[in-house]
């Protein structure tokens, strides 16, 4: 975004783009919040805020330092007005982003206010200094010769406003405000009031109308988002209960138009539960962004169900309790109908499903599922095969577990990530952001980057990316190659797994399934970077590939605000711990 510079004195810059911009300033590593993009203009405004902030931040900091060191006489006064105009534009754009319910607007508002306040304070001090006094005199003269022209410009904006051409009116009025802000900062209160009197009425009306317009767009977009991922709690519970009946009578169930055997039905219901849980979290995030807007559906209506709950957290807790009761019953009713002839196929199918669910469902549920499946050990032929397999592998798995834990002791002890971050000073961004991220980033990096930690229950994504569960406003990504090919082969051989030879115990099935999908007990290494994220960005648009980011029995944050934040750390893997092996990751 470009601004015309007004000429206040012979020292002024030519009418061109802002010449005080530091081309040496790099935005590459500047922490900032991405826009959600629910509203069309959000990305453009976010980019404008970033560019404008980058153009004045170094100059503003130099002014702040000069103020503290009482060396303001060395500052080029002619640059303060234009920089102040940019800061005020950032504030207007930040407010527009907030009207769109963009968390990024909170950050840019803090950054713009920092620049505006520092520059305004410096100008006030400079007015009593020789260099500043010259600019004050020039500003007064400019004011006198520009009043009529400005009045006509405001009148034209008024015409656009009356014709409801708000986009053009706002754009043209921004140019007027940019011109005013460059010199009004130097005027006395009484003199400045005359100039501001020309624009304040139009400013208020435009601000009100554009706010209404943007909030209306945000309302429609957020309402559409709610409709795109309804939790459908009753549908899940009814499908789960119907599955019990169907499997108990016919050993198969139709779910969403597809027919499934018992083990496949258990997997399908688990997947529906995971989707419902994720949609509850997405819905909660959208309602957090939409506070103050009429989205057509209240939070209570979004999670209204036969559970009779009053909050999102209560809904997640009670849904977890219901599913913990229902899912084991699917196995129970199915196995009662299972003949000896198809017992092994059914048993292996359930083992495969339990392997999929391992580390993804609460421990109490997994234990209940295992208990139901244990009755298969009573079957004549299958029972003997299971007992023989357990005799061959249980002690080996126990030994592997002890060996893995012992091997982990060879690396330097580290705090688990959430525990490690408790020592960080978070009062300026957790739970809510109260200063610009640029003020936070340096201290956060200094205290976190390089710190040795470990992340529990790491789940692989694609390529060399993985993530750890969200807890207490903290989560982690793990980025780096983790090659466990040899370990997986060794585990497969020890568990006698091959074509036509599946694992025959719950412990073996869980072990091999989690190892195959690179689901680790823990991954340790140094923190490579830290990022403050908005709850209102992370959870409303939670991707399907990360739908297990928040455990099924957990709730991220009830009644979140647009300025509420969380922490994401990137960890470089140096070792991985699986329940049954440990491996150090070589460094390049």
């Amino acid at each position: 975004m470009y601004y015309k510079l007004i000429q206040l004195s012979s020292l002024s810059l030519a009418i061109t783009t802002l010449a005080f911009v530091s081309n040496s300033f790099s935005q590459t590593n500047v922490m900032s919040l991405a826009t959600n993009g629910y509203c069309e203009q959000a990305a453009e405004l976010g980019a404008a805020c970033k560019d404008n902030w980058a153009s004045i931040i170094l100059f503003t900091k130099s002014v702040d330092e000069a103020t503290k060191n009482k060396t303001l006489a060395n500052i080029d006064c002619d640059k303060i007005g234009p920089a102040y105009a940019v800061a005020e534009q950032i504030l207007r754009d930040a407010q527009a982003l907030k009207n769109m319910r963009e968390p990024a607007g909170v950050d840019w508002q803090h950054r713009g206010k920092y620049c505006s306040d520092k520059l305004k304070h410096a100008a006030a001090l400079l007015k009593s200094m020789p260099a500043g006094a010259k600019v004050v005199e020039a500003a007064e003269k400019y004011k006198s010769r520009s009043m009529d022209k400005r009045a006509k410009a405001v009148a034209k904006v008024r015409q656009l406003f009356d014709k409801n051409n708000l986009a053009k009116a706002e754009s043209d009025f921004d140019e007027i405000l940019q011109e005013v802000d460059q010199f009004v900062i130097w005027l006395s209160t009484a003199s400045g009031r005359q100039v501001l009197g020309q624009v304040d009425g139009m400013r208020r009306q435009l601000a009100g109308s554009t706010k209404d317009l943007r909030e209306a767009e945000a309302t429609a977009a957020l309402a559409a988002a709610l409709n795109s991922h309804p939790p459908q709690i009753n549908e899940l519970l009814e499908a789960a209960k119907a599955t019990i009946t169907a499997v108990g009578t016919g050993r198969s169930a139709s779910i969403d138009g597809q027919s499934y055997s018992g083990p496949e039905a258990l997997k399908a219901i688990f997947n529906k539960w995971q989707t419902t849980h994720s949609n509850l979290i997405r819905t909660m995030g959208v309602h957090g962004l939409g506070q103050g807007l009429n989205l057509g559906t209240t939070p209570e209506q979004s999670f209204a169900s036969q559970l009779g709950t009053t909050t999102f957290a209560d809904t997640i807790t009670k849904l977890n309790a219901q599913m913990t009761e229902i899912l084991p019953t699917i196995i129970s009713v199915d196995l009662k109908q299972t003949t000896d002839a198809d017992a092994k196929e059914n048993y292996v199918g359930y083992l495969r499903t339990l392997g999929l669910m391992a580390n993804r469902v609460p421990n109490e549920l997994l234990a209940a599922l295992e208990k139901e499946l244990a009755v298969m050990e009573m079957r004549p032929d299958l029972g003997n095969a299971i007992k023989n397999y357990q005799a061959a592998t249980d002690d080996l798995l126990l030994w592997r577990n002890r060996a893995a834990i012992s091997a982990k002791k060879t690396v330097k002890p580290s705090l688990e990530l959430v525990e490690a971050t408790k020592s960080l000073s978070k009062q300026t961004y957790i739970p809510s952001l109260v200063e610009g991220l640029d003020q936070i980033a340096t201290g956060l990096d200094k205290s976190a980057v390089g710190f040795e930690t470990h992340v529990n229950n790491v789940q692989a994504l694609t390529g060399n990316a993985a993530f750890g569960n969200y807890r207490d406003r903290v989560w982690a990504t793990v980025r780096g190659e983790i090659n466990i090919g040899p370990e997986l082969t060794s585990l497969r051989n020890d568990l006698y797994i091959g074509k036509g030879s599946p694992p025959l115990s719950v412990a073996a099935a869980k072990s091999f399934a989690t190892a195959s999908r690179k689901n680790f007990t823990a991954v340790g290494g140094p923190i490579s970077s830290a990022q403050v994220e908005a709850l209102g960005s992370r959870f409303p648009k939670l991707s399907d590939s990360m739908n297990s980011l928040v455990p099924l029995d957990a709730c991220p944050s009830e009644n979140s605000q647009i300025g509420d934040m969380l922490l994401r750390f990137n960890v470089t893997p140096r070792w991985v711990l699986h329940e049954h092996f440990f491996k150090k990751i070589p460094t390049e």
Side-chain angles (χ1 to χ4, degrees):
M1 193 172 290
Y2 299 99
Y3 303 89
K4 285 186 176 181
L5 293 177
I6 62 175
Q7 190 163 1
L8 297 182
S9 70
S10 59
L11 298 176
S12 290
L13 306 170
I15 297 178
T16 179
T17 57
L18 293 180
F20 60 81
V21 174
S22 172
N23 292 324
S24 65
F25 185 82
S26 171
Q27 299 184 50
T28 305
N29 297 315
V30 175
M31 187 186 294
S32 60
L33 302 174
T35 52
N36 291 329
Y38 286 114
C39 296
E40 186 177 349
Q41 200 185 8
E44 178 187 345
L45 285 175
C49 285
K50 190 170 187 177
D51 289 344
N52 287 333
W53 174 83
S55 75
I56 63 171
I57 186 59
L58 292 184
F59 176 71
T60 301
K61 287 184 175 182
S62 70
V63 170
D64 188 26
E65 282 298 310
T67 301
K68 293 174 182 176
N69 298 331
K70 299 183 179 180
T71 57
L72 274 175
N74 298 328
I75 293 294
D76 185 347
C77 296
D78 285 334
K79 294 183 179 181
I80 290 181
Y84 177 74
V86 176
E88 290 295 300
Q89 183 65 52
I90 293 172
L91 285 171
R92 288 192 293 275
D93 289 345
Q95 184 58 54
L97 286 168
K98 289 179 66 178
N99 293 341
M100 297 175 185
R101 296 310 192 264
E102 288 283 355
V106 178
D107 177 33
W108 292 120
Q109 187 174 59
H110 287 307
R111 297 198 203 199
K113 188 175 186 304
Y114 167 84
C115 293
S116 176
D117 287 351
K118 297 302 181 183
L119 294 166
K120 192 173 184 178
H121 179 58
L125 295 175
L126 280 165
K127 287 178 184 180
S128 61
M129 300 179 189
K134 291 180 179 179
V135 182
V136 169
E137 182 182 357
E140 290 289 355
K141 290 179 179 179
Y142 178 83
K143 170 204 157 188
S144 298
R145 68 175 185 265
S146 62
M147 293 290 282
D148 289 345
K149 183 178 180 181
R150 190 176 307 106
K152 293 176 182 177
V154 173
K156 289 182 179 179
V157 170
R158 166 70 61 187
Q159 292 175 351
L160 293 169
F161 179 81
D162 290 342
K163 293 177 181 178
N164 205 33
N165 189 348
L166 293 182
K168 177 64 173 170
E170 183 181 42
S171 176
D172 287 0
F173 194 64
D174 272 347
E175 291 187 10
I176 295 172
L177 293 179
Q178 290 157 17
E179 176 253 346
V180 166
D181 288 333
Q182 288 182 62
F183 78 94
V184 74
I185 193 175
W186 294 106
L187 301 179
S188 66
T189 302
S191 183
R193 192 177 295 122
Q194 293 176 346
V195 177
L196 295 176
Q198 291 184 298
V199 297
D200 279 349
M202 189 73 257
R203 190 204 305 258
R204 284 191 295 270
Q205 284 187 284
L206 255 179
S209 294
T210 54
K211 177 178 185 288
D212 291 344
L213 190 67
R214 288 179 172 121
E215 286 191 341
E217 185 183 4
T219 297
L222 293 174
L226 288 178
N227 292 330
S228 70
H229 47 65
Q232 296 184 316
I233 300 167
N234 284 341
E235 289 83 348
L236 167 65
L237 292 172
E238 292 305 322
K241 292 172 184 176
T243 297
I244 292 174
T245 302
V247 171
T249 55
R251 300 210 44 235
S252 66
S254 177
I255 302 171
D256 295 333
Q258 286 190 289
S259 181
Y260 295 103
S261 65
E264 292 170 337
L266 179 64
K267 176 182 175 181
I269 294 297
F270 162 69
N271 286 335
K272 282 180 73 69
W273 178 19
Q274 184 72 76
T275 298
T276 296
H277 179 69
S278 300
N279 285 343
L280 273 168
I281 290 168
R282 293 182 182 109
T283 298
M284 182 171 63
V286 172
H287 276 297
L289 289 177
Q291 288 191 35
L293 302 179
N294 181 6
L295 302 183
T297 303
T298 66
E300 291 75 18
Q301 289 171 327
S302 291
F303 57 70
S305 69
Q306 58 189 262
L307 296 175
T309 52
T310 57
T311 66
F312 280 104
D314 190 30
T315 302
I316 288 172
T317 298
K318 289 189 176 180
L319 181 60
N320 175 64
Q322 282 278 294
M323 299 307 289
T324 299
E325 180 181 330
I326 290 172
L327 294 187
T329 308
I330 295 175
I331 296 180
S332 175
V333 298
D334 188 20
L335 297 188
K336 288 178 182 177
Q337 309 296 321
T338 301
T339 65
D340 290 340
D342 56 9
K344 181 176 180 180
E345 180 182 356
N346 217 27
Y347 175 71
V348 169
Y350 278 115
L351 285 180
R352 191 178 300 114
T353 298
L354 262 62
L356 171 74
M357 297 168 70
N359 297 341
R360 293 178 177 175
V361 298
N363 291 333
E364 314 86 77
L365 171 56
L366 201 60
L369 293 168
E370 291 179 27
K371 184 178 179 180
E372 293 296 338
L373 198 56
V375 302
M376 296 301 278
E377 296 175 19
M378 307 299 293
R379 295 296 177 102
D381 294 334
L382 178 60
N384 289 331
I386 293 172
K387 290 172 184 175
N388 290 336
Y389 184 84
Q390 289 173 333
T393 59
D394 279 3
D395 286 345
L396 183 59
L397 286 175
L398 181 61
W399 174 85
R400 272 182 162 272
N401 178 249
R402 290 172 176 169
I405 293 172
S406 178
K408 181 183 176 295
K409 293 179 181 178
T410 64
V411 298
K412 184 179 178 180
S414 60
L415 286 173
E416 187 273 329
L417 182 66
V418 174
E419 295 301 316
T421 60
K422 286 182 178 179
S423 62
L424 296 175
S425 177
K426 305 176 187 175
Q427 63 266 27
T428 60
Y429 53 96
I430 301 292
S432 296
L433 194 65
V434 297
E435 64 177 339
L437 290 182
D438 60 308
Q439 303 290 319
I440 296 165
T442 301
L444 182 57
D445 280 347
K446 187 176 181 180
S447 59
V449 173
F451 188 88
E452 292 285 340
T453 186
H454 65 268
V455 183
N456 289 339
N457 194 20
V458 172
Q459 303 175 56
L461 282 168
T462 56
N464 294 328
F467 66 92
N469 288 144
Y470 171 88
R471 181 166 64 90
D472 293 344
R473 303 224 178 203
V474 174
W475 73 287
T477 56
V478 176
R479 296 190 179 277
E481 183 177 2
I482 301 176
N483 179 12
I484 58 166
E487 287 71 25
L488 193 60
T489 298
S490 174
L491 183 63
R492 180 188 291 112
N493 292 337
D494 281 352
L495 297 178
Y496 306 101
I497 296 173
K499 188 175 182 180
S501 300
L504 289 180
S505 73
V506 173
K510 290 194 303 181
S511 178
F512 191 68
T514 53
S516 297
R517 64 174 185 260
K518 293 185 176 182
N519 182 183
F520 301 112
T521 304
V523 175
I527 294 173
S528 59
S529 65
Q531 174 71 46
V532 177
E533 294 184 333
L535 265 77
S537 295
R538 173 53 56 191
F539 293 120
K541 291 195 169 186
L542 187 67
S543 65
D544 289 340
S545 62
M546 293 184 63
N547 64 5
S548 56
L549 176 63
V550 180
L552 284 166
D553 57 352
C555 178
S557 178
E558 194 87 36
N559 299 320
S560 63
Q561 304 290 320
I562 188 174
D564 284 4
M565 301 290 145
L566 57 88
L567 275 170
R568 186 193 80 214
F569 293 94
N570 296 317
V571 175
T572 301
R574 292 287 181 261
W575 55 262
V576 297
L577 173 67
H578 181 269
E579 185 180 4
H580 296 121
F581 60 82
F582 174 84
K583 181 172 186 174
K584 292 181 181 179
I585 308 298
T587 57
E588 296 181 359

